[in-house]
Amino acid sequence: MAAHIGRRLRKGAATTAVAAAAVAALSASQAPGATVDDQGRQSTGDATSAPDTAADDSATGNSPYYTDLPPLNSPNPSPSAGSGDAGDQRAGEAGIPATVLDAYKQAEATLREKKPGCNLPWQLLAAIGKVESGQARGGRVTADGTTVTPILGPQLDGNGFALIRDTDNGAYDGNRMYDQAVGPMQFIPSTWDWAGRDGNGDGRKDPNNIYDAALAAGHYLCRFDWDLSQQGDLRKAILSYNNSTDYLNTVLSWLEFYRRGTHEIPDGTGALPVDRSDDTARPGVTPSAPGTTPPARPGKPSGSRPSPSPAAPGNGGSPSTPPVTPPPATPPTPTDTVHHLEDAGTGTLTAMAGHTFAERVSTRAETEAGKAVAKVRIRFTLVGDTDTTFTGGETVATVTTDASGVAVAPALQAGERTGAFAVQAAVVGRSVKGVPYKATVTARAADALALVGEKEPTCVAGGEFAKPVQVKATYRGEAAGKVAVTATLVTSADDPAENDKGPYFKDADGKAVRSLTGLRTDADGQLTLPKLYADDTAGTFLLRLTTAGGATLDVKLTVEPAAAPSPEPDPSTDPAPSTDPSTEPSTDPSETPAA
């Protein structure tokens, strides 16, 4: 026992040194002005403290994680480095199973396209994957990336862990009483419900598939428009995955290690982690490795009948079973006390397509007596035919109620699809009547139109206008992009009927048309109309442009008369040729005037 304790103490001292060195290296490479304390904890002037989040607001429900740290030596030792255990350890730790590594890199490529401002490095996914599951238990995955056996964290029953009652009826974790973190990236079911992605294109969102899980983790880390190239945002993102400073430092250590170099190894040959954060959480109980059934909790039956005890003195030699002490009653969670939800003063939810809703959905959790309930997860879900999303591109968001029992959903970002939809608020983990909120997206609009250029268009009858008409649409002083515009050549300022003479456009067949629909401004609010032509009618005409939102602009078009052709000479009025010889030029050389 003494030797074991001594080994653990020596290992603890070594891993603390590794964490301090690795985090210090990350500070030097990423965060000017960052400092590291003697425990390897990193801080920067602009970094925020760990967020005050409930366990079930994190991706993992703050489940246990592996605390193994990378070796101090570089993952790419020089060829002259000696062989042996140290060299083997470096090679093993730096190697990432081929399928797992491919999943991380594919997720990075997808996020680079979908959310380029996030700057997600695949090495961050690798660091989290290492800490959460030892790279899917050393890459024990099938060809499509699905783990050979399920990777499950302990059930979150409040006994040494967070208390999260079942939210998925056992669909993901097989547990209908409590939630468990699932898969190589260890998502709890309530988070996977909205964060899950199909990363391998098979039409399913499977938390046990490394391609799906890695892409989901990338979206999760990028969901608040964080820029992960900034140290403060990087820390926030990691802490949102598992709200622990030790977890943060462990992930940062592996992130720096993988940034210095790694290589691909065959699936199933990766190094397996050893130590887990709950190693000493419950004395006398050996923690289960992810992928196995968690051990029975102390004081709770394991599911099998206890073996009969030997015969006790005075009982006639008959075997007897010692009485089993029933487990203590689990105190009710805040979620258990919620009786109903109430609207917490949400205003009218209306926004123009492409714009952010000014109002945010706000819901209050209450007991039967109307008392506020804090620390309850409220799930907001968009329902209906809409492409509107919450900030970050999600259609589901889970928010924990504050001290006043209120949960405020992230801001809604209107898509291009107009019409009504609903935001449904419900309690996660409890069946109580939810609260629906009606929301509406209106068409893009402009409140002003202006002619681009100072000169009004002019041409000659029977000709064509030299330059097309250009206009700019604005809304509240800002460029109004993607706004529908109608152009009509009207009879007069007082008569909006389509004119039957004067300037005209041409359709695809070259026929004259005097009304156009389906026009739309560009991203800068500008619109260039098709070329205009003029018939043989001279005069002043009006081109009327209108938009959704009521903006109207009349453009005056001037058609000048065509120039009168030069008259042909009339032979009958021409004078007769002269017959007077004196007027004819002389052909006698003698009569030629002297020079």
Side-chain angles (χ1 to χ4, degrees), residues 470-492:
Q470 288 185 303
V471 296
K472 181 169 184 178
T474 56
Y475 183 77
R476 297 180 180 175
E478 300 292 333
K482 301 180 181 180
V483 174
V485 179
T486 299
T488 304
L489 290 148
V490 297
T491 302
S492 68

Side-chain angles (χ1 to χ4, degrees), residues 99-416:
T99 300
V100 178
L101 180 60
D102 183 57
Y104 296 149
K105 292 185 175 181
Q106 281 199 29
E108 179 198 54
T110 299
L111 269 297
R112 190 186 306 124
E113 176 186 351
K114 299 293 185 183
K115 297 183 179 180
C118 180
N119 294 308
L120 172 78
W122 66 261
Q123 292 91 341
L124 176 59
L125 297 176
I128 291 176
K130 178 70 174 179
V131 171
E132 292 296 347
S133 68
Q135 310 297 19
R137 301 295 292 159
R140 286 161 177 77
V141 295
T142 60
D144 71 345
T146 303
T147 57
V148 175
T149 56
I151 299 177
L152 297 174
Q155 66 178 13
L156 302 175
D157 59 3
N159 190 0
F161 309 114
L163 174 57
I164 306 179
R165 299 193 190 280
D166 176 53
T167 62
D168 66 332
N169 199 29
Y172 296 121
D173 54 16
N175 190 334
R176 296 189 179 185
M177 293 189 65
Y178 302 98
D179 274 352
Q180 295 174 250
V182 182
M185 303 304 276
Q186 289 289 278
F187 280 95
I188 55 174
S190 59
T191 303
W192 182 261
D193 236 13
W194 62 266
R197 292 294 189 281
D198 177 15
N200 63 351
D202 64 356
R204 299 174 60 233
K205 300 176 183 178
D206 182 2
N208 297 297
N209 182 280
I210 186 58
Y211 287 98
D212 295 359
L215 184 58
H219 275 279
Y220 185 90
L221 294 165
C222 293
R223 70 195 185 284
F224 289 133
D225 293 331
W226 284 325
D227 179 357
L228 302 187
S229 67
Q230 301 297 316
Q231 187 67 8
D233 283 357
L234 175 65
R235 291 170 61 88
K236 293 175 189 176
I238 296 172
L239 286 167
S240 78
Y241 211 90
N242 191 313
N243 188 24
S244 159
T245 302
D246 289 337
Y247 178 87
L248 168 69
N249 290 333
T250 305
V251 170
L252 288 176
S253 298
W254 283 106
L255 171 59
E256 175 60 19
F257 182 75
Y258 287 136
R259 275 179 166 160
R260 295 203 308 268
T262 186
H263 59 273
E264 177 184 302
I265 60 175
D267 289 344
T269 65
L272 295 178
V274 176
D275 294 326
R276 225 169 61 166
S277 60
D278 62 334
D279 273 359
T280 57
R282 291 168 289 142
V285 178
T286 302
S288 63
T292 62
T293 303
R297 301 290 181 256
K300 293 191 176 185
S302 65
S304 60
R305 295 179 67 86
S307 302
S309 63
N315 65 358
S318 300
S320 63
T321 301
V324 177
T325 303
T330 304
T333 66
T335 300
D336 295 332
T337 66
V338 177
H339 178 266
H340 60 272
L341 296 179
E342 292 284 348
D343 177 20
T346 306
T348 303
L349 296 171
T350 302
M352 187 188 303
H355 289 239
T356 301
F357 282 71
E359 283 286 328
R360 293 168 66 177
V361 178
S362 182
T363 301
R364 176 181 162 96
E366 297 182 355
T367 64
E368 186 173 9
K371 184 180 178 180
V373 184
K375 297 184 179 180
V376 173
R377 290 171 296 152
I378 306 298
R379 179 180 295 146
F380 298 95
T381 306
L382 304 186
V383 181
D385 185 17
T386 182
D387 56 354
T388 294
T389 63
F390 292 110
T391 301
E394 307 294 345
T395 58
V396 179
T398 302
V399 181
T400 301
T401 57
D402 59 18
S404 62
V406 174
V408 180
L412 287 166
Q413 179 66 39
E416 296 300 323

Side-chain angles (χ1 to χ4, degrees), residues 46 135 145 156 171 175 290 395 414 456 469 554 568:
D46 60 351
Q135 310 297 19
L156 302 175
N175 190 334
T395 58
E456 293 178 333
V469 174
D554 284 344
E568 294 291 332

